[in-house]
Amino acid sequence: MATERVTFTGHSGIKLAARLDLPDGPHLGTALFAHCFTCSKDIPAARRIAGRLAGMGIAVLRFDFTGLGHSEGEFENTSFSSNVSDLVAASNYLKERDMAPGMLIGHSLGGAAVLRAADSLPSVKAVVTLGAPFDPGHVTHNFADALPKIQAEGTAEVNLGGRPFRIGRAFVEDVAAENLAPAIAGLKRALLVMHAPRDTIVGVENATQIFTAARHPKSFVTLDNADHLITNSADAEYAAEVIAAWAGRYMDLRPPAPPIGAPEGVVRVAEADPEGFLQDVNAGPLHHTVADEPLAYGGTNKGMSPYGYLAAGLGACTSMTIRMYARRKEWPLEHVSVDVTHDKVHAQDAGNGANTKIDTFQRKIHLTGNLTDDQRQRLLEIADKCPVHKTLESSSEIETSLATA
């Protein structure tokens, strides 16, 4: 994942700091991430979710709201409405880069903000909330003791998460007056509500209210034992995987046009990182992946190694061949998986007397189903009929030439 540090102009003309996480391969879509109250773009949950989505081809812009993180401005002069305006400004920045967001993701109060902002962003097709409050005024519970002083003096310093913040009267009045129910009912976008039942900051009843107020298409996914900030990496990874899988149904994630000169039947490999070993792999016009080397070999470990792909080809072909045979015989094969390992061993250890090293691929085939011993043995024999197996066992010729300009 490549990350750009960028700035754009916020709602009041000041500069907001952002990170744009970009896919290593084709850019299929863009998401805009709004962080939680008094948090920043760099909290672990935002980083992990953005990284996983970038791996799925979805670029993610995460930015610091006015007065937070590395952004300019004074936090005490902001409000819920100004956060919404900053989201619109972020969307406009992406639109100028021809990357208009197709999805909004909001965490906690950021979730309430994306629900409010969605109607102003025609490019958005999907909205995701993580631990979001149904009533934005809920956030004032975090500094309830300071409310009388804020009302009387116009501002007060409060301690949130061990850090001091100045909260202004305008912020309190703004969130108190906000009513999200009409915006949620009129969302006209696919909605994914994610919430942890044990969230002690924003109770799960908020998710129920958001979900009930929304019209279809809408989905709810529990984050089980996650805390409000989704600090556990496994919880953040799970949230990202669900979001990526769900978004594909509603966002237009069409891959880009195939590279010129790479028609069906041609695999084109082009280096993506001249300083390392990362490679873009396009198999005809429809399929893209990346290849790399492990860190120990000077790579960045962003994709399988060339030998990994060779082993994957053998394993995939083996599994397909077994399934095809069992299907034709109508045998009760429920599932097949193939573990493939590769190594170089001395030829004499492989039964060949030569004192050289040869490539050895070891396959361990797992068959699930009510199969007889004879059927299992026959499927083991069929594995050797796999075309890739035959190619690797036989001698092959490789013809190489320089392409003309």
Side-chain angles (χ1 to χ4, degrees):
M1 177 185 71
T3 300
E4 290 184 16
R5 294 185 179 184
V6 300
T7 59
F8 62 92
T9 303
H11 76 281
S12 61
I14 63 173
K15 294 296 183 181
L16 302 183
R19 293 185 187 274
L20 180 60
D21 299 307
L22 298 166
D24 289 323
H27 169 226
L28 306 183
T30 304
L32 180 55
F33 190 103
H35 61 70
C36 51
F37 180 58
T38 69
C39 296
S40 80
K41 64 184 182 303
D42 297 315
I43 64 169
R47 292 200 314 270
R48 291 178 180 127
I49 290 174
R52 178 55 63 92
L53 291 176
M56 300 290 291
I58 301 173
V60 181
L61 181 74
R62 44 193 172 98
F63 70 97
D64 293 325
F65 284 114
T66 299
L68 293 173
H70 297 94
S71 290
E72 297 177 354
E74 298 297 329
F75 180 73
E76 66 181 283
N77 296 327
T78 65
S79 64
F80 179 75
S81 297
S82 73
N83 286 351
V84 173
S85 297
D86 280 345
L87 275 168
V88 174
S91 176
N92 290 336
Y93 166 77
L94 288 170
K95 185 177 180 181
E96 290 172 0
R97 293 189 55 165
D98 198 27
M99 299 174 67
M103 176 166 58
L104 299 178
I105 305 171
H107 184 192
S108 190
L109 189 63
V114 299
L115 289 169
R116 167 60 70 193
D119 188 55
S120 302
L121 306 176
S123 64
V124 171
K125 302 294 189 298
V127 177
V128 181
T129 64
L130 298 154
F134 176 71
D135 174 14
H138 182 284
V139 73
T140 61
H141 296 172
N142 294 303
F143 48 89
D145 293 345
L147 289 176
K149 183 176 182 180
I150 294 172
Q151 188 61 37
E153 301 180 12
T155 183
E157 184 173 286
V158 301
N159 187 289
L160 298 171
R163 294 181 297 159
F165 291 92
R166 294 203 71 81
I167 305 292
R169 183 190 298 137
F171 178 91
V172 175
E173 293 176 349
D174 188 50
V175 293
E178 184 63 45
N179 177 15
L180 283 181
I184 298 172
L187 193 61
K188 297 179 182 178
R189 275 92 171 163
L191 174 65
L192 172 60
V193 179
M194 306 188 80
H195 213 111
R198 299 182 182 181
D199 190 331
T200 59
I201 305 299
V202 179
V204 72
E205 67 276 5
N206 286 269
T208 301
Q209 291 172 294
I210 293 172
F211 188 83
T212 302
R215 294 188 171 95
H216 286 289
K218 58 182 178 179
S219 305
F220 174 78
V221 174
T222 179
L223 293 176
D224 297 326
N225 296 321
D227 59 18
H228 181 67
L229 294 180
I230 320 179
T231 52
N232 185 289
S233 60
D235 293 325
E237 289 288 330
Y238 172 70
E241 289 175 2
V242 172
I243 292 170
W246 174 85
R249 180 178 292 270
Y250 302 105
M251 291 177 68
D252 187 13
L253 299 180
R254 290 178 297 179
I260 298 174
E264 188 70 39
V266 173
V267 176
R268 170 165 290 176
V269 181
E271 66 177 7
D273 179 13
E275 302 299 323
F277 297 110
L278 185 66
Q279 307 291 316
D280 271 319
V281 183
N282 285 279
L286 299 178
H287 305 291
H288 170 268
T289 187
V290 294
D292 204 348
E293 288 286 359
L295 296 173
Y297 290 90
T300 51
N301 202 32
K302 293 180 179 177
M304 286 198 300
S305 69
Y307 274 111
Y309 278 105
L310 197 58
L314 175 60
C317 184
T318 301
S319 179
M320 292 175 185
T321 301
I322 290 174
R323 169 55 65 188
M324 183 173 60
Y325 186 85
R327 185 181 294 146
R328 187 168 67 244
K329 290 290 187 178
E330 297 184 350
W331 288 356
L333 175 63
E334 296 176 3
H335 186 261
V336 56
S337 65
V338 184
D339 297 338
V340 182
T341 56
H342 165 262
D343 200 358
K344 287 184 178 289
V345 301
H346 283 286
Q348 56 191 10
D349 294 335
N352 186 327
N355 188 26
T356 59
K357 284 192 173 184
I358 63 172
D359 290 281
T360 298
F361 291 89
Q362 294 183 332
R363 288 180 299 184
K364 182 171 290 186
I365 299 172
H366 303 267
L367 304 175
T368 303
N370 189 23
L371 299 163
T372 67
D373 290 341
D374 288 343
Q375 288 172 335
R376 290 177 177 273
Q377 184 60 37
R378 181 55 180 158
L379 291 176
L380 177 62
E381 295 168 359
I382 289 298
D384 290 343
K385 306 295 184 182
C386 155
V388 174
H389 177 119
K390 292 183 177 181
T391 297
L392 290 173
E393 276 197 325
S394 63
S395 59
S396 301
E397 288 188 7
I398 300 175
E399 298 178 356
T400 306
S401 62
L402 286 173
T404 57

